Amino acid sequence: MEYVEIFDTTLRDGEQVPGCKLDSKTKLIIAEQLDELGVDVLEAGFPISSPGDFKAVEDISKLMKNARVCGLTRAVMKDIDVAAEALKSAKRARIHTGIGTSDNHIKYKFNATREQILERAVAAVKHAKSYFEDIEFYAEDAGRTDNVFLAQVCEAVIKAGATVLNIPDTTGYCLPEEYGAKMKYLKENVKGIEKARLSCHCHNDLGLATANSIAGVQYGARQIECTINGIGERAGNTSLEEVVMILRQHPYLNLDTRIKSQMLFGISQLVSESMAMPVQPNKAIVGANAFAHSSGIHQDGVIKKRDTYEIIDPKDVGVTQSSIVLTARSGRAALAYRAKNIGYELDKLQLDKVYQQFLLVADQKKEINDDDIPKIIKASNI
Ligand code: KIV
Ligand code: ZN
C-alpha cells in the first residue's frame, strides 16, 4: 500500500471564493481540525496578497503539530521573501511557487516567450530553495500546456531544487484519460522525476475534478490538492472527502491516505457553517442525502442488509446512521421500521391498515416525520 499525500487548500484556493472569507480566529479553528484530520500539507494562504493572509500563514505556522504549512507565491522574488517570513515559525514549511506555462498564459498573461517563462520558473525555485528544503512548483494551466514544454519546465525546476511538481488543471478542462496521460508522460520523460513528487490540482468546471485527480494518482502522482466540500474558484476544486473515500473503497488500487475519515462529516459541517456555503444535499460523502434512502425498494433492501444499497458505512465518515426517509414513495418495510424505532410493533394486518392511512397523509406532505407516525396509527383505527 502506498500513501497519497493530501494537500489541503481550503484556506487558500477555497477561501478566495467570494463570500467565503474567514476571520483569523475561524481560520485557526479550521486549521486545527485539518491538522487533526491528518492532512499532510496545509496551504494556509497567499502571504503577499494581504496583511490578513500574511498573519493567517504566520499564526497557522505556529499552531500546526503535524501538517506541513505551505504558503503560495507567484514566481516573484518579493512574494517568496514575504512567504518565507510568514512561514518562519513552522516546524515544517513549504513554499509553493510557480508560473503559467500554457501558450495562452505565456502570451496573454505574461506577454513573454517559453524561454523567459522557463528562466523565471528556475529563478523562483532557486530563490525559494535558499529559505527551505521543501519547494513545490506549480505550472499554472498545466492542463492546457503542451506536454513537451511542460516536461522541459519540470526537468529544469527539479534541477533547481523543486521537491514537488504541481500539475494544475487550472481551468478544469482535461478529461480523466488526458490528465492521467499527462502524469504518465511526465513520469516517463522528465529526467530526475524520481527526486520529486507529482501533485494533482484539479478544478471542477466540467465536474471532473475528482475523476481527474484519481486518474492522476493511477498514473503516478502521489499528492492530491483538494478542499473540504470541494469549495474553490468558480465550480470549485477537487473535494477532499471524495478522493479520500474513493481510495479507501477501492483497496485494489493499493493507494491510501492518512486521513481519519470519521472526522469528514464534522469538518464538512464546520467549513460549510463558517463560510455560510451550504453543502448540496446530494453531495457525495457529506451531503444530507448521502446516506438517506427514500424509495420503497431501496429502503426494503437497506433494512434487510445495509450494503445492498450503500457502499460506505456512514460511521466511517462520521455520520451516525443511514436514514430511512418516509415519503409517498416508501413501502411497508420502511413504515414498519420507523414505527418500531419509536415503539410501535405492528403485525401484518395492522401494518396494511396503517400503510393505507400513511399514503393518504404522505400524498399531502413532502416527508413524514416521527411525530406524524402516532397520529397516522391512531387515525387508522387498528
Ligand atoms: O488552479 C491553479 O492553477 C492554482 C495554482 C495557483 C496552484 O490554484
Ligand atoms: Zn487552483
Side-chain angles (χ1 to χ4, degrees):
M1 186 67 79
E2 272 189 69
Y3 281 102
V4 171
E5 300 217 325
I6 292 295
F7 174 116
D8 181 275
T9 183
T10 305
L11 298 178
R12 200 280 295 170
D13 225 347
E15 205 248 0
Q16 72 193 40
V17 169
C20 284
K21 186 102 195 80
L22 296 173
D23 59 53
S24 43
K25 198 168 146 227
T26 314
K27 274 191 194 173
L28 291 181
I29 294 171
I30 293 176
E32 226 168 357
Q33 287 298 300
L34 290 168
D35 197 22
E36 177 66 19
L37 178 71
V39 305
D40 299 281
V41 187
L42 192 151
E43 189 164 51
F46 182 8
I48 202 158
S49 67
S50 73
D53 245 38
F54 181 92
K55 176 127 179 36
V57 176
E58 201 176 37
D59 290 349
I60 291 171
S61 294
K62 291 177 190 151
L63 191 71
M64 289 302 91
K65 293 197 179 91
N66 303 305
R68 281 174 198 277
V69 187
C70 178
L72 183 79
T73 81
R74 295 165 297 181
V76 171
M77 303 307 155
K78 178 82 183 142
D79 281 30
I80 295 168
D81 296 336
V82 171
E85 178 63 23
L87 289 162
K88 71 174 188 243
S89 309
K91 267 197 224 150
R92 299 191 301 158
R94 175 181 294 178
I95 287 185
H96 188 193
T97 189
I99 194 160
T101 53
S102 65
D103 288 334
N104 182 300
H105 279 224
I106 294 173
K107 184 167 174 202
Y108 298 107
K109 230 174 102 173
F110 300 110
N111 188 23
T113 62
R114 284 186 174 187
E115 291 67 35
Q116 287 166 332
I117 293 295
L118 197 78
E119 272 170 30
R120 284 181 63 177
V122 167
V125 170
K126 281 190 177 157
H127 190 56
K129 198 75 179 179
S130 69
Y131 288 108
F132 302 115
E133 176 48 36
D134 187 2
I135 305 301
E136 175 166 340
F137 175 81
Y138 64 86
E140 197 182 8
D141 205 16
R144 293 187 299 172
T145 299
D146 162 45
N147 283 348
V148 176
F149 179 58
L150 185 60
Q152 239 182 304
V153 175
C154 289
E155 201 165 303
V157 296
I158 292 174
K159 258 198 207 145
T163 45
V164 182
L165 298 177
N166 178 9
I167 311 300
D169 184 21
T170 305
T171 57
Y173 174 75
C174 286
L175 292 173
E177 288 87 341
E178 202 181 349
Y179 193 71
K182 207 171 261 295
M183 291 297 181
K184 185 168 185 284
Y185 182 86
L186 296 175
K187 271 266 173 211
E188 290 171 355
N189 292 282
V190 173
K191 259 194 238 123
I193 193 71
E194 66 292 344
K195 292 190 209 134
R197 183 181 288 267
L198 280 167
S199 179
C200 308
H201 179 116
C202 298
H203 281 266
N204 206 29
D205 300 66
L206 292 172
L208 289 171
T210 294
N212 284 344
S213 299
I214 295 299
V217 295
Q218 284 184 286
Y219 283 95
R222 286 295 176 268
Q223 178 176 279
I224 296 179
E225 309 196 1
C226 45
T227 61
I228 299 292
N229 299 335
I231 57 162
E233 199 72 24
R234 305 181 308 280
N237 288 56
T238 300
S239 143
L240 182 150
E241 56 279 4
E242 291 174 13
V243 290
V244 165
M245 292 315 291
I246 289 169
L247 296 183
R248 210 145 283 174
Q249 295 308 118
H250 291 278
Y252 65 90
L253 292 174
N254 264 324
L255 296 170
D256 201 2
T257 67
R258 296 184 183 85
I259 295 296
K260 291 179 195 146
S261 65
Q262 292 83 352
M263 288 182 66
L264 288 172
F265 184 68
I267 201 158
S268 156
Q269 301 253 295
L270 171 69
V271 168
S272 164
E273 282 158 21
S274 313
M275 292 186 168
M277 276 283 272
V279 177
Q280 71 193 63
N282 58 330
K283 167 82 181 63
I285 320 295
V286 291
N289 292 346
F291 299 98
H293 304 274
S294 55
S295 90
I297 296 170
H298 288 210
Q299 291 176 328
D300 183 48
V302 169
I303 290 166
K304 285 177 176 144
K305 190 156 180 357
R306 191 192 53 75
D307 60 15
T308 43
Y309 285 100
E310 269 182 8
I311 57 159
I312 298 172
D313 184 334
K315 292 190 190 68
D316 289 346
V317 297
V319 174
T320 355
Q321 58 177 9
S322 322
S323 55
I324 299 292
V325 183
L326 290 179
T327 71
R329 304 288 153 260
S330 301
R332 287 171 176 73
L335 178 61
Y337 171 84
R338 286 279 301 272
K340 191 174 170 193
N341 277 354
I342 56 165
Y344 296 91
E345 193 95 48
L346 302 169
D347 65 29
K348 191 174 175 317
L349 278 177
Q350 288 171 324
L351 181 60
D352 279 343
K353 281 181 100 178
V354 175
Y355 186 65
Q356 295 317 314
Q357 181 62 28
F358 161 80
L359 287 179
L360 294 177
V361 182
D363 267 339
Q364 310 300 318
K365 248 188 126 194
K366 269 197 178 166
E367 195 182 321
I368 301 294
N369 55 41
D370 281 352
D371 292 345
D372 298 316
I373 295 173
K375 292 180 210 148
I376 292 171
I377 293 176
K378 194 163 177 222
S380 57
N381 292 320
I382 55 170

